Amino acid sequence: MEIPHRHLFGPGPTNPYPGATAAFADPLLGHLDPVFLELMDETCAMLRQVWGTDNARTIPLSATGSAGMEAAFVNTVHEGDVVVVAVNGLFGQRMCDVAARCGAEVVPVEHEWGQPVDVDRVLSAQPSPAIIAAVHAETSTGVRSDIAALGADKGDALLLVDAVTSIAGIELRADDWGIDVGYAGTQKCIGVAPGLAPFTINDRAFERRVEKPRSWYLDLGLLGGYVGEASGSGGRTYHHTAPTAMVASLHAGLARILDEGLPAVWERHAAAGKLLQDGLEERGLELFAAEGHRLPELTTVKVPDGVDSATVRKALLEKHSIEIGAGAGAYASSVWRIGLMGPNATPESVELILAALDDVLA
Ligand SMILES: *Cc1c(COP(=O)(O)O)cnc(C)c1O
C-alpha cells in the first residue's frame, strides 16, 4: 500500500521532525540494554527541560496523552477527594470523567467554549479541594489559560495540568508556576509520532499519592523502579516492555528542539500562529477563540455561512494533501481547527494552508 505524504495541519498528530522519523530506522534495542537505559535517562533529562522542572520523576509513559491524564488522576485521587476541574472545552470535560472514575467528588467549573479559564472562579469554587485541575492549551477551542495564576493561589491543593498541546509550543514552566502533576503527548508541538505521554510529578504530589492505585500499568510507584527515576543506583526492574523505538524517536525530537532552543521554538510557533490568524482575518474569516488568549499552535476559525465544513476538509485532503481538523463537540461542523505544531510552525506551512483554502473556498 502506498502511503501518501500529508501535511498534518490538524489538532494532532503533526508531521514529525525529520530526525524523529529517522530514529525509527535505527537498530532496535532491548528495553534493558545499557545503551537503551542511557537513552532513556537522556530522554528524561531533556523532558525536564521542556517541562521547566527539576522533578526527578519526569518520564515518558508508554501510551498516548490520554494515558497521562489517567495516570495523573489514578495516582493522586483518593476516594471522595474533592477535585475542582476548570472546564473550558472537551479535554476539561474528559478530566471530569476520568477523575470521577477514580472516585473523586468532582466540582466542574464550567466556562463558555472559546474563553480562557477564569482563575478567580476556579480558586473560589471550593474552600479546600484536594486537587485543582486545568488544561493549559485547550486543543478543542484553541485557547490558552493562565496556569501561573492558578498555581500562585492554589493553597494546599495539588495543581494538575494538561500540557499536551502546550509543551514545546508555548511557554511552560512547571516548577515556577506551581504545577504538581503534569502530562503531555508527543504528537503535538514536540513533533514526534503519537505513542508516549511525557509525565512529571513533584515530591509533594508523589508523597500524597495513592499507595495502590486501581491501575497496575500506570502505577507510578511501580514505574519509578523501571524507568530509573531517582533510583540513582541503576537498579532497573522489569515492569513492562518500554516501546524502545518510540523512546529513541522522542529522544531525537527533543534533541532537535533543545538544539534550536526553547525560547526560539516558542517564538517560531508564535510567529507562525500570528501569520495564519492575520491571514484568515484578512480573508474575512472569523476566529473562534477569545482575542488575547489564542494559541499560536492551534487556530480555531468559524466555517463561513453557506460553506459545508466536511466538503472543504475533504477537498483540502484530496486535492492538496492537507489535513485540518473539524471542530469539537457542539462546534463539529461550525469551526475548523488548524494546527501549526513542531516542524509545521513555519511561514511556509501558513502559505500552503492559505493558498489551499483560497483555492478550495473559491
Ligand atoms: C490530544 C490531547 C489529549 C489526548 O491525547 P491523546 O494523545 O490523543 O491520547 C489530551 N489533552 C489535550 C489538550 C490534547 O490536545
Side-chain angles (χ1 to χ4, degrees), residues 226-273:
Y226 171 62
V227 179
E229 47 78 11
S231 69
S233 61
R236 309 300 238 280
T237 50
Y238 167 71
H239 175 258
H240 68 278
T241 308
T244 52
M246 264 312 298
V247 175
S249 182
L250 174 58
H251 183 279
L254 291 169
R256 162 66 183 75
I257 287 165
L258 295 174
D259 192 42
E260 182 177 351
L262 268 183
V265 169
W266 296 337
E267 184 45 46
R268 179 162 56 77
H269 281 83

Side-chain angles (χ1 to χ4, degrees), residues 11-12 63-69 91-92 94 135-140 162-166 183-188 194-197 337 341:
T64 68
S66 302
M69 189 188 293
F91 292 102
R94 196 176 279 181
V135 179
H136 185 202
E138 244 306 345
T139 323
S140 63
D162 176 321
V164 177
T165 292
S166 61
Y183 61 88
T186 44
Q187 76 273 29
K188 316 250 170 140
L196 294 171
R337 293 185 294 159
M341 304 178 182

Side-chain angles (χ1 to χ4, degrees), residues 13-29:
T14 188
N15 298 99
Y17 283 110
T21 302
F24 284 118
D26 288 342
L28 194 73
L29 290 168

Side-chain angles (χ1 to χ4, degrees), residues 123-134:
L123 291 175
S124 59
Q126 281 288 314
S128 56
I131 294 170
I132 297 169

